[in-house]
Amino acid sequence: MLNKSLNIGVFGDSIGKGILLKPESNRYSTIKLDLHKLIGASQQQLSIQNYCMMGSTITKGLSILDRHMDKVKQFQTVFLEFGGNDCDYNWQQISEQPHTEHECNTPIPLFLKQYSEMINKIRARQGNPIMLTLPPLVPDKYFDWLSRNLNKDNILTWLGGDVNAIYRWQELYNAKVTSLAAKLSVPLIDIRSAFLTHPRYQQLMCEDGIHPNEAGYTLIYRTISKQYRHAMLSV
């Protein structure tokens, strides 16, 4: 991946943070992987400043970026990973009111507007943004997770009786990320395809259906390492 020292900034949500669900405790934790060893870099070659936050939407990401704008210029690359929380819903409200309309955390027009604003701000500080696609969720597992302690039947009613509607909605946001990258000529690293080409990608995900497990994160980091050089050549 590297021929010289590289300072990277990362802004995103829990995927960028490396959050996974520990099966033995059923609690969230940060994955412990030796990234330098995994991608073939030494401590001197690679420095990563991670500003990701669990639950972060693009709105929250913008506020975090604004607080660290003075650091953007020092990064050769700024990785951006958003969309997973933006497309999510308040499932408790849906459980209580399944026959009314509900809006996701960040509607698509606002998501695209704020993501574009983030990219423009980084570029205005001579930063080089690289966007990441969304890893796929596992719809049945995620449905079971999000509906625990809620009325599953009501949520399923709101979904039109099809838990796969959750997957399709997230896929739409991933498509918007891909099209925005093309529109703004931002290099894109496609981690989603790396999962979907796996014969059983579900085995790469935690029991909550939305966070990668250790094998999933290993795949993500290796995919980034493989695609990074090509992405930088397009900058």
Side-chain angles (χ1 to χ4, degrees):
M1 176 181 177
L2 299 171
N3 292 320
K4 59 181 181 179
S5 61
L6 183 62
N7 193 9
I8 290 175
V10 187
F11 294 85
D13 55 30
S14 57
I15 306 299
K17 193 70 174 177
I19 298 295
L20 78 172
L21 184 69
K22 290 283 190 180
E24 61 274 12
S25 63
N26 213 34
R27 293 179 178 273
Y28 287 110
S29 179
T30 304
I31 192 167
K32 306 299 182 185
L33 286 176
D34 187 342
L35 291 185
H36 297 83
K37 181 178 180 180
L38 186 64
I39 64 178
S42 69
Q43 294 283 350
Q44 291 73 33
Q45 287 176 308
L46 179 63
S47 173
I48 300 174
Q49 304 299 315
N50 196 312
Y51 302 102
C52 298
M53 180 179 293
M54 188 172 183
S56 182
T57 62
I58 191 67
T59 304
K60 180 64 176 179
L62 259 177
S63 68
I64 294 173
L65 175 66
D66 285 339
R67 294 201 300 271
H68 299 283
M69 283 302 295
D70 59 323
K71 300 183 181 71
V72 167
K73 194 173 182 179
Q74 75 186 41
F75 300 131
Q76 287 98 321
T77 304
V78 180
F79 284 108
L80 304 175
E81 180 272 316
F82 291 97
N85 293 304
D86 296 278
C87 69
D88 206 11
Y89 285 86
N90 185 323
W91 297 107
Q92 181 172 341
Q93 289 183 0
I94 291 172
S95 172
E96 296 168 354
Q97 303 175 51
H99 300 291
T100 61
E101 290 188 12
H102 296 273
E103 202 166 65
C104 64
N105 291 333
T106 316
I108 288 173
L110 180 60
F111 177 67
L112 294 175
K113 178 179 180 294
Q114 292 188 323
Y115 215 152
S116 299
E117 182 181 346
M118 175 176 284
I119 291 163
N120 291 333
K121 284 186 173 184
I122 291 170
R123 283 176 164 169
R125 292 293 183 97
Q126 292 78 51
N128 295 312
I130 293 182
M131 298 168 68
L132 274 67
T133 58
L134 282 61
L137 55 77
V138 182
D140 52 343
K141 284 187 175 182
Y142 185 47
F143 175 76
D144 288 341
W145 180 259
L146 68 86
S147 61
R148 67 197 190 284
N149 303 321
L150 300 177
N151 190 316
K152 288 190 175 185
D153 291 337
N154 281 356
I155 295 175
L156 190 60
T157 294
W158 186 81
L159 290 170
D162 183 10
V163 297
N164 290 303
I166 305 171
Y167 181 96
R168 294 192 295 272
W169 181 244
Q170 192 226 26
E171 174 66 27
L172 176 60
Y173 270 68
N174 184 73
K176 295 299 180 181
V177 167
T178 301
S179 61
L180 183 64
K183 178 182 178 181
L184 299 182
S185 299
V186 178
L188 181 72
I189 291 180
D190 187 10
I191 61 174
R192 191 180 192 86
S193 291
F195 277 82
L196 295 179
T197 53
H198 191 280
R200 287 175 293 277
Y201 83 87
Q202 297 88 344
Q203 296 178 356
L204 303 175
M205 304 296 292
C206 293
E207 283 304 306
D208 64 3
I210 52 173
H211 289 94
N213 56 26
E214 184 170 326
Y217 277 113
T218 298
L219 177 64
I220 287 175
Y221 301 140
R222 284 179 174 164
T223 301
I224 291 172
S225 180
K226 289 178 181 178
Q227 295 184 22
Y228 178 77
R229 187 181 302 276
H230 176 74
M232 287 303 293
L233 288 175
S234 64
V235 173

